[in-house]
Amino acid sequence: MSLGTSEVMQLSIFAGVMGAALLSAIWLIRERGRIATENAELRTRVAELGESLRRSDSLINLKDQRFIVWANEGGAPSILGELPGGAGVPVDRSAFLAFGRWLSPGTATALERATATLRGHGTGFDLVVETRSGTLLEVIGRKTAYHAVIRFLSLSEVQKEHARLRLEHQRLQADKENLFALADALDMPIWLRDTRGRLIWVNNAYAKTVDSQAPEDAVRENRELLPTATREDIARERLARPVYSGQVSTVVGGERRIYTITEISSSQGSAGMAVDMSEIDSLRRQFERTVRSHANTLDQLTTAVAIFDAGEKLRFYNQAFQKLWDLDAAFLDSAPENAIVLDRLRSEGKLEEQPEWRRWKEDLLGAYRSPEPQEHWWHLPDGRTIRVIANPQPNGGVTWIFENLTEKFDLESRYNAAMRVQGETLDNLAEGVAVFGPDGRLRLSNPAFRTLWGLPAELVSETSHIAAIRAACDAVAKESPWDDFVAAVTGFDDERRDHHGQTELLNGTILSYAIIHLPNGQVMMTFVDVTDSANVERALKEKNEALQKADQLKNDFVQHVSYELRSPLTNIIGFTELLSLPGTGPLTKRQREYVDHIGSSSSVLLTIVNDILDLATVDAGIMELDIAEVRIGAAVQAAADLVAERLREHDIKLVVDMDDASASFHADENRLRQILFNLLSNAANYAPEHGTITLTARRGDGTVEFRVHDDGPGMSPDVLETIFKRFEPRTNGGRRRGAGLGLSIVKSFVELHGGTVEIETGTGRGTTVICRFPVSPSGMRVAAE
């Protein structure tokens, strides 16, 4: 069958289409099979994921854990799971994320810090936190490639106990680190020791104190702050009590320092701390000296002063205050309130009666609430006028100043009367008086002024100028002092100073003059005819200069010889004591007696030299007393101990009577002991064998009295007249003949305290030496004049 071209083409197209359809069918069948296989695998995977999700949900939704999940790309966190309701954990999402609201402050801070580190740096953590209700939770933080997760897990009882111990350990570790950091920051040495007493830790201040570069070096080298003897004393004290506290002295950096040591001990070792009290102790002593100085200064004032504290209680008063109001010292020393003092003055009739007493008193006490000083005037019933100043203090107290102006007002009234009789008085004086004003004009003069200088009456008038008077006086004087007078009157002197002098006139008259500066720039000159007394004075001065030179030579000789003797005597005593020591070598009995005699004789001679030096110091006016509170019993006992051996040698009994004595008074303790020792030594010298010496101390009216009585032969009147003279030893029945300085020293030292010495004696009735001291000396001389 023949086919045309068109049929062939159609047949080819059909065949091609059929082939393509067949290939497509085959591909579709194969793709469908592959898709079916993938769908089966996907269904299996989905089933597995669903099962895994259900397992995860089951684990997450357990009632004992909760998760916080952050995606790495950011966004709000997801919260999954639950915690037991009794754990004190909030269910609300925002409340749960605010850790500080439901966790304890310490664990909340630690968790927030760990969370920031986890999200920022991927550092995981394991913590134990505590809720505000006291429940413990374990918190685990981890970070994956896609998420940051924090897991809160409730604990079983065993886990809770373990977690509690971990938490306690964390706290203790943190406390330990904080305490060690604090100790390192403190500027006081702190140390720890083991059971053997060796250092195991010190802080930086300790290392610096013992000159170590670092605390580790101080521990490694076992450098001790305290001396061995002090550490042993502390160790013995800790045996009786676990805590030791006391002050010790040690050398640090070449300086003597005072530390307050506190050290505790336990079965595991000990710990201690040292506080440097050197500066505080120095400041305390300086403060006490300042307060004492201020009190002494105020006691010297004639103006009454009383200081009340912020509680209106009396804290200080001077003697003028007590004298002004005549109040009992015991009442004032009891620190009464200001209101009570005012009531006491009113009840005793010492204040003027006020119509409204309560209101007047409240207004007066308003000074405690006023920032400015207040001034009042009191007119007392006895006629006195008192100016009262209330000066508030920064600490809330008030200083009250009571100025008695009665005499001032009385003087003002009497001044007017005195001015009326001044003219009559000046006119009848033998002493010449002239007063010049600041303009150089004569304001006042008397007839004696004109007579002494031979001035005409017309020259001496209120219109006369000092220049004209000077010209007339220069003509009758050998060496005229009127240049100085003019300079003083016209103000050409650099300072307005009063001065005195003498001038001689051509007729041989010697005038003693004085230039006295008066108020308002006026100057007064006085002239006295001293011709006769000047001639006598010249003769006396010549003799006095000779006596002074002799006395100065004597004092210089005594001081020089005494100082020169002290050094070799000290050497003799020292070497004598060395010879007596067993280590020097054996001595025969006679040699030992000689050595003992040398030592005792040297000590006696040194005592004499010291007495001479004391008297020379007193004579020179340079001896100072160290006044402080002195316990009378201790001072008496110290003096008795010094003469005890001498009393035993002669079987002399010492009886001390202090039943009527006060516990203490203010004096120089060293000088008081020296006084009592000299009195007891003097009594021991004259008391008979097997006799009795009585030392009595008692308090009198503002004084403290010491009596030393012996049953010796007594003193005759001629001996009593020279008893206080120096270098006049008197045997008078005594055992030893001394240098005659004992009672001289007693008298000098007692008078330096402002006291007196009295002797009661008589033949056959013994001798009693009585020394009286003021209870609170306020105006002692620095040294004898």
Side-chain angles (χ1 to χ4, degrees), residues 322-363:
Q322 182 182 8
K323 182 179 179 181
L324 174 66
W325 300 113
D326 192 22
L327 292 173
D328 183 38
F331 168 71
L332 296 176
D333 292 338
S334 65
E337 293 184 0
N338 202 340
I340 296 177
V341 174
L342 293 175
D343 291 337
R344 178 76 171 266
L345 295 176
R346 181 196 181 194
S347 64
E348 294 180 358
K350 297 175 181 178
L351 290 180
E352 184 179 12
E353 192 61 37
Q354 301 294 329
E356 297 182 21
W357 168 256
R358 186 181 300 275
R359 182 175 180 181
W360 180 85
K361 185 170 65 173
E362 289 178 355
D363 291 342

Short mmCIF file of all heavy atoms in Angstrom, two decimals, residues 322-363:
data_model
loop_
_atom_site.label_atom_id
_atom_site.label_comp_id
_atom_site.label_asym_id
_atom_site.label_seq_id
_atom_site.Cartn_x
_atom_site.Cartn_y
_atom_site.Cartn_z
N GLN A 322 32.00 78.49 143.61
CA GLN A 322 31.60 77.98 144.92
C GLN A 322 31.62 79.09 145.97
O GLN A 322 30.73 79.18 146.83
CB GLN A 322 32.52 76.83 145.34
CG GLN A 322 32.14 76.20 146.67
CD GLN A 322 33.11 75.11 147.08
OE1 GLN A 322 34.14 74.92 146.45
NE2 GLN A 322 32.79 74.41 148.14
N LYS A 323 32.63 79.95 145.88
CA LYS A 323 32.74 81.04 146.85
C LYS A 323 31.63 82.07 146.66
O LYS A 323 31.08 82.61 147.63
CB LYS A 323 34.11 81.69 146.72
CG LYS A 323 34.36 82.81 147.71
CD LYS A 323 35.76 83.39 147.54
CE LYS A 323 36.01 84.53 148.53
NZ LYS A 323 37.35 85.11 148.34
N LEU A 324 31.27 82.35 145.41
CA LEU A 324 30.24 83.35 145.13
C LEU A 324 28.90 82.94 145.72
O LEU A 324 28.21 83.75 146.35
CB LEU A 324 30.11 83.54 143.61
CG LEU A 324 28.96 84.45 143.14
CD1 LEU A 324 29.22 85.88 143.58
CD2 LEU A 324 28.81 84.37 141.62
N TRP A 325 28.53 81.64 145.53
CA TRP A 325 27.21 81.19 145.98
C TRP A 325 27.25 80.43 147.31
O TRP A 325 26.20 80.06 147.82
CB TRP A 325 26.56 80.32 144.90
CG TRP A 325 26.37 81.04 143.61
CD1 TRP A 325 27.00 80.78 142.43
CD2 TRP A 325 25.50 82.14 143.36
NE1 TRP A 325 26.60 81.64 141.46
CE2 TRP A 325 25.66 82.49 142.00
CE3 TRP A 325 24.61 82.86 144.13
CZ2 TRP A 325 24.95 83.54 141.42
CZ3 TRP A 325 23.90 83.90 143.55
CH2 TRP A 325 24.08 84.23 142.21
N ASP A 326 28.46 80.19 147.83
CA ASP A 326 28.61 79.51 149.12
C ASP A 326 27.83 78.19 149.13
O ASP A 326 27.04 77.91 150.04
CB ASP A 326 28.14 80.41 150.26
CG ASP A 326 28.57 79.86 151.63
OD1 ASP A 326 29.53 79.08 151.65
OD2 ASP A 326 27.92 80.22 152.63
N LEU A 327 28.06 77.37 148.09
CA LEU A 327 27.38 76.09 147.97
C LEU A 327 28.30 74.97 148.46
O LEU A 327 29.53 75.06 148.36
CB LEU A 327 26.97 75.82 146.52
CG LEU A 327 25.87 76.74 145.97
CD1 LEU A 327 25.70 76.48 144.48
CD2 LEU A 327 24.56 76.52 146.70
N ASP A 328 27.69 73.89 148.94
CA ASP A 328 28.45 72.75 149.46
C ASP A 328 29.15 72.05 148.30
O ASP A 328 28.55 71.78 147.25
CB ASP A 328 27.49 71.78 150.17
CG ASP A 328 28.25 70.62 150.78
OD1 ASP A 328 29.36 70.84 151.29
OD2 ASP A 328 27.73 69.49 150.73
N ALA A 329 30.42 71.73 148.49
CA ALA A 329 31.20 71.07 147.43
C ALA A 329 30.63 69.70 147.10
O ALA A 329 30.63 69.29 145.93
CB ALA A 329 32.67 70.96 147.85
N ALA A 330 30.14 68.97 148.09
CA ALA A 330 29.57 67.65 147.82
C ALA A 330 28.34 67.77 146.93
O ALA A 330 28.12 66.93 146.03
CB ALA A 330 29.21 66.96 149.14
N PHE A 331 27.52 68.80 147.16
CA PHE A 331 26.35 69.02 146.30
C PHE A 331 26.78 69.34 144.87
O PHE A 331 26.22 68.79 143.90
CB PHE A 331 25.51 70.16 146.87
CG PHE A 331 24.45 70.67 145.93
CD1 PHE A 331 23.34 69.90 145.64
CD2 PHE A 331 24.58 71.91 145.32
CE1 PHE A 331 22.36 70.37 144.76
CE2 PHE A 331 23.61 72.39 144.46
CZ PHE A 331 22.50 71.61 144.17
N LEU A 332 27.79 70.18 144.70
CA LEU A 332 28.24 70.54 143.35
C LEU A 332 28.90 69.36 142.66
O LEU A 332 28.75 69.17 141.44
CB LEU A 332 29.21 71.72 143.43
CG LEU A 332 28.61 73.04 143.95
CD1 LEU A 332 29.70 74.09 144.07
CD2 LEU A 332 27.51 73.54 143.03
N ASP A 333 29.63 68.54 143.41
CA ASP A 333 30.31 67.38 142.81
C ASP A 333 29.33 66.29 142.39
O ASP A 333 29.71 65.37 141.65
CB ASP A 333 31.33 66.81 143.80
CG ASP A 333 32.50 67.76 144.03
OD1 ASP A 333 32.72 68.62 143.16
OD2 ASP A 333 33.16 67.65 145.07
N SER A 334 28.10 66.34 142.86
CA SER A 334 27.11 65.33 142.49
C SER A 334 26.49 65.59 141.12
O SER A 334 25.55 64.89 140.74
CB SER A 334 26.00 65.26 143.54
OG SER A 334 25.26 66.49 143.57
N ALA A 335 26.99 66.57 140.38
CA ALA A 335 26.52 66.91 139.02
C ALA A 335 25.02 67.22 139.02
O ALA A 335 24.24 66.59 138.32
CB ALA A 335 26.85 65.80 138.03
N PRO A 336 24.56 68.21 139.81
CA PRO A 336 23.13 68.53 139.82
C PRO A 336 22.72 69.21 138.51
O PRO A 336 23.54 69.80 137.80
CB PRO A 336 23.01 69.48 141.01
CG PRO A 336 24.35 70.14 141.09
CD PRO A 336 25.34 69.09 140.69
N GLU A 337 21.43 69.15 138.22
CA GLU A 337 20.91 69.84 137.05
C GLU A 337 20.87 71.34 137.30
O GLU A 337 20.79 71.78 138.46
CB GLU A 337 19.52 69.32 136.71
CG GLU A 337 19.50 67.86 136.23
CD GLU A 337 18.12 67.42 135.81
OE1 GLU A 337 17.18 68.26 135.88
OE2 GLU A 337 17.97 66.25 135.43
N ASN A 338 20.87 72.11 136.22
CA ASN A 338 20.87 73.56 136.33
C ASN A 338 19.63 74.05 137.07
O ASN A 338 19.69 74.95 137.91
CB ASN A 338 20.93 74.18 134.93
CG ASN A 338 21.46 75.60 134.96
OD1 ASN A 338 21.47 76.26 135.98
ND2 ASN A 338 21.93 76.07 133.83
N ALA A 339 18.49 73.44 136.76
CA ALA A 339 17.25 73.86 137.42
C ALA A 339 17.32 73.60 138.93
O ALA A 339 16.83 74.41 139.73
CB ALA A 339 16.06 73.11 136.81
N ILE A 340 17.94 72.48 139.33
CA ILE A 340 18.06 72.17 140.76
C ILE A 340 18.97 73.18 141.45
O ILE A 340 18.72 73.60 142.59
CB ILE A 340 18.58 70.74 140.94
CG1 ILE A 340 17.56 69.74 140.38
CG2 ILE A 340 18.88 70.44 142.39
CD1 ILE A 340 18.00 68.30 140.44
N VAL A 341 20.05 73.60 140.77
CA VAL A 341 20.95 74.61 141.35
C VAL A 341 20.19 75.92 141.57
O VAL A 341 20.32 76.57 142.62
CB VAL A 341 22.17 74.82 140.44
CG1 VAL A 341 23.03 75.96 140.95
CG2 VAL A 341 22.99 73.54 140.35
N LEU A 342 19.37 76.32 140.58
CA LEU A 342 18.60 77.55 140.73
C LEU A 342 17.60 77.43 141.88
O LEU A 342 17.43 78.36 142.67
CB LEU A 342 17.87 77.86 139.42
CG LEU A 342 18.77 78.24 138.23
CD1 LEU A 342 17.94 78.39 136.97
CD2 LEU A 342 19.55 79.52 138.51
N ASP A 343 16.94 76.27 141.98
CA ASP A 343 16.00 76.07 143.09
C ASP A 343 16.71 76.11 144.43
O ASP A 343 16.18 76.64 145.42
CB ASP A 343 15.27 74.73 142.92
CG ASP A 343 14.30 74.74 141.74
OD1 ASP A 343 13.88 75.84 141.34
OD2 ASP A 343 14.01 73.65 141.21
N ARG A 344 17.93 75.57 144.49
CA ARG A 344 18.69 75.57 145.73
C ARG A 344 19.05 77.02 146.12
O ARG A 344 18.92 77.41 147.29
CB ARG A 344 19.96 74.74 145.53
CG ARG A 344 20.90 74.68 146.74
CD ARG A 344 20.39 73.75 147.80
NE ARG A 344 21.39 73.53 148.83
CZ ARG A 344 22.25 72.51 148.85
NH1 ARG A 344 22.21 71.61 147.88
NH2 ARG A 344 23.11 72.37 149.82
N LEU A 345 19.48 77.81 145.16
CA LEU A 345 19.82 79.21 145.44
C LEU A 345 18.59 79.99 145.90
O LEU A 345 18.66 80.83 146.79
CB LEU A 345 20.43 79.86 144.20
CG LEU A 345 21.78 79.31 143.73
CD1 LEU A 345 22.22 79.99 142.44
CD2 LEU A 345 22.85 79.49 144.80
N ARG A 346 17.44 79.68 145.29
CA ARG A 346 16.21 80.38 145.68
C ARG A 346 15.79 79.99 147.10
O ARG A 346 15.42 80.84 147.91
CB ARG A 346 15.10 80.03 144.70
CG ARG A 346 13.78 80.73 145.00
CD ARG A 346 12.64 80.08 144.27
NE ARG A 346 11.37 80.75 144.52
CZ ARG A 346 10.19 80.24 144.23
NH1 ARG A 346 10.13 79.02 143.67
NH2 ARG A 346 9.08 80.89 144.49
N SER A 347 15.86 78.66 147.41
CA SER A 347 15.44 78.20 148.73
C SER A 347 16.32 78.76 149.83
O SER A 347 15.87 78.95 150.96
CB SER A 347 15.43 76.67 148.77
OG SER A 347 16.75 76.16 148.60
N GLU A 348 17.61 79.02 149.52
CA GLU A 348 18.52 79.57 150.52
C GLU A 348 18.51 81.09 150.55
O GLU A 348 19.31 81.70 151.26
CB GLU A 348 19.95 79.06 150.25
CG GLU A 348 20.09 77.55 150.44
CD GLU A 348 21.51 77.06 150.17
OE1 GLU A 348 22.36 77.90 149.80
OE2 GLU A 348 21.77 75.85 150.33
N GLY A 349 17.60 81.70 149.77
CA GLY A 349 17.46 83.15 149.79
C GLY A 349 18.61 83.91 149.15
O GLY A 349 18.85 85.07 149.50
N LYS A 350 19.31 83.28 148.19
CA LYS A 350 20.45 83.93 147.55
C LYS A 350 20.09 84.59 146.24
O LYS A 350 20.92 85.27 145.64
CB LYS A 350 21.57 82.91 147.34
CG LYS A 350 22.12 82.33 148.65
CD LYS A 350 23.13 81.25 148.39
CE LYS A 350 23.63 80.68 149.72
NZ LYS A 350 24.58 79.57 149.55
N LEU A 351 18.85 84.37 145.75
CA LEU A 351 18.37 85.00 144.53
C LEU A 351 17.19 85.91 144.88
O LEU A 351 16.41 85.62 145.81
CB LEU A 351 17.93 83.96 143.50
CG LEU A 351 19.02 83.12 142.85
CD1 LEU A 351 18.40 82.15 141.86
CD2 LEU A 351 20.06 83.98 142.16
N GLU A 352 17.06 86.96 144.11
CA GLU A 352 15.94 87.86 144.31
C GLU A 352 14.64 87.14 143.94
O GLU A 352 14.56 86.43 142.93
CB GLU A 352 16.12 89.11 143.45
CG GLU A 352 15.05 90.16 143.66
CD GLU A 352 15.29 91.38 142.79
OE1 GLU A 352 16.14 91.29 141.88
OE2 GLU A 352 14.65 92.41 143.00
N GLU A 353 13.64 87.25 144.77
CA GLU A 353 12.38 86.57 144.55
C GLU A 353 11.70 87.14 143.29
O GLU A 353 11.57 88.36 143.13
CB GLU A 353 11.45 86.74 145.75
CG GLU A 353 10.24 85.83 145.72
CD GLU A 353 10.62 84.36 145.71
OE1 GLU A 353 11.61 84.00 146.41
OE2 GLU A 353 9.95 83.58 145.01
N GLN A 354 11.27 86.23 142.41
CA GLN A 354 10.64 86.62 141.15
C GLN A 354 9.13 86.45 141.26
O GLN A 354 8.64 85.46 141.85
CB GLN A 354 11.17 85.75 140.00
CG GLN A 354 12.66 85.84 139.80
CD GLN A 354 13.11 87.21 139.35
OE1 GLN A 354 12.37 87.90 138.65
NE2 GLN A 354 14.33 87.60 139.75
N PRO A 355 8.35 87.38 140.67
CA PRO A 355 6.88 87.25 140.72
C PRO A 355 6.40 85.95 140.06
O PRO A 355 5.49 85.31 140.56
CB PRO A 355 6.38 88.49 139.97
CG PRO A 355 7.53 89.45 140.01
CD PRO A 355 8.77 88.63 140.03
N GLU A 356 7.00 85.58 138.94
CA GLU A 356 6.65 84.34 138.25
C GLU A 356 7.92 83.50 138.15
O GLU A 356 8.65 83.55 137.16
CB GLU A 356 6.08 84.63 136.87
CG GLU A 356 4.77 85.42 136.90
CD GLU A 356 4.21 85.64 135.50
OE1 GLU A 356 4.59 84.87 134.59
OE2 GLU A 356 3.41 86.57 135.33
N TRP A 357 8.21 82.76 139.20
CA TRP A 357 9.48 82.03 139.28
C TRP A 357 9.61 81.01 138.16
O TRP A 357 10.67 80.92 137.53
CB TRP A 357 9.58 81.34 140.65
CG TRP A 357 10.70 80.35 140.73
CD1 TRP A 357 10.63 79.00 140.68
CD2 TRP A 357 12.10 80.66 140.82
NE1 TRP A 357 11.87 78.44 140.76
CE2 TRP A 357 12.80 79.43 140.84
CE3 TRP A 357 12.83 81.84 140.91
CZ2 TRP A 357 14.17 79.36 140.95
CZ3 TRP A 357 14.20 81.77 140.99
CH2 TRP A 357 14.86 80.54 141.02
N ARG A 358 8.58 80.22 137.90
CA ARG A 358 8.68 79.16 136.88
C ARG A 358 8.97 79.75 135.50
O ARG A 358 9.83 79.26 134.78
CB ARG A 358 7.39 78.35 136.86
CG ARG A 358 7.44 77.14 135.92
CD ARG A 358 6.12 76.40 135.92
NE ARG A 358 5.80 75.92 137.27
CZ ARG A 358 6.27 74.78 137.76
NH1 ARG A 358 7.04 74.02 137.01
NH2 ARG A 358 5.95 74.40 138.98
N ARG A 359 8.26 80.82 135.16
CA ARG A 359 8.49 81.43 133.85
C ARG A 359 9.87 82.05 133.77
O ARG A 359 10.56 81.95 132.75
CB ARG A 359 7.42 82.48 133.60
CG ARG A 359 7.52 83.14 132.23
CD ARG A 359 6.37 84.09 132.01
NE ARG A 359 6.46 84.73 130.70
CZ ARG A 359 5.58 85.62 130.27
NH1 ARG A 359 4.53 85.96 131.02
NH2 ARG A 359 5.74 86.17 129.07
N TRP A 360 10.30 82.70 134.87
CA TRP A 360 11.65 83.30 134.88
C TRP A 360 12.72 82.24 134.70
O TRP A 360 13.70 82.42 133.96
CB TRP A 360 11.85 84.03 136.21
CG TRP A 360 13.19 84.69 136.34
CD1 TRP A 360 13.57 85.91 135.90
CD2 TRP A 360 14.36 84.11 136.97
NE1 TRP A 360 14.88 86.16 136.21
CE2 TRP A 360 15.41 85.07 136.86
CE3 TRP A 360 14.62 82.91 137.60
CZ2 TRP A 360 16.68 84.84 137.37
CZ3 TRP A 360 15.88 82.67 138.11
CH2 TRP A 360 16.90 83.64 138.00
N LYS A 361 12.54 81.11 135.36
CA LYS A 361 13.53 80.03 135.25
C LYS A 361 13.53 79.43 133.85
O LYS A 361 14.60 79.14 133.28
CB LYS A 361 13.23 78.95 136.29
CG LYS A 361 14.27 77.84 136.34
CD LYS A 361 14.07 76.92 137.52
CE LYS A 361 12.78 76.17 137.43
NZ LYS A 361 12.65 75.14 138.48
N GLU A 362 12.36 79.24 133.24
CA GLU A 362 12.30 78.69 131.88
C GLU A 362 12.95 79.64 130.88
O GLU A 362 13.65 79.20 129.96
CB GLU A 362 10.85 78.44 131.50
CG GLU A 362 10.22 77.26 132.25
CD GLU A 362 8.76 77.07 131.89
OE1 GLU A 362 8.23 77.92 131.12
OE2 GLU A 362 8.15 76.09 132.36
N ASP A 363 12.73 80.95 131.05
CA ASP A 363 13.39 81.91 130.15
C ASP A 363 14.90 81.86 130.31
O ASP A 363 15.64 81.95 129.32
CB ASP A 363 12.88 83.33 130.45
CG ASP A 363 11.43 83.51 130.05
OD1 ASP A 363 10.93 82.68 129.26
OD2 ASP A 363 10.80 84.46 130.54
#
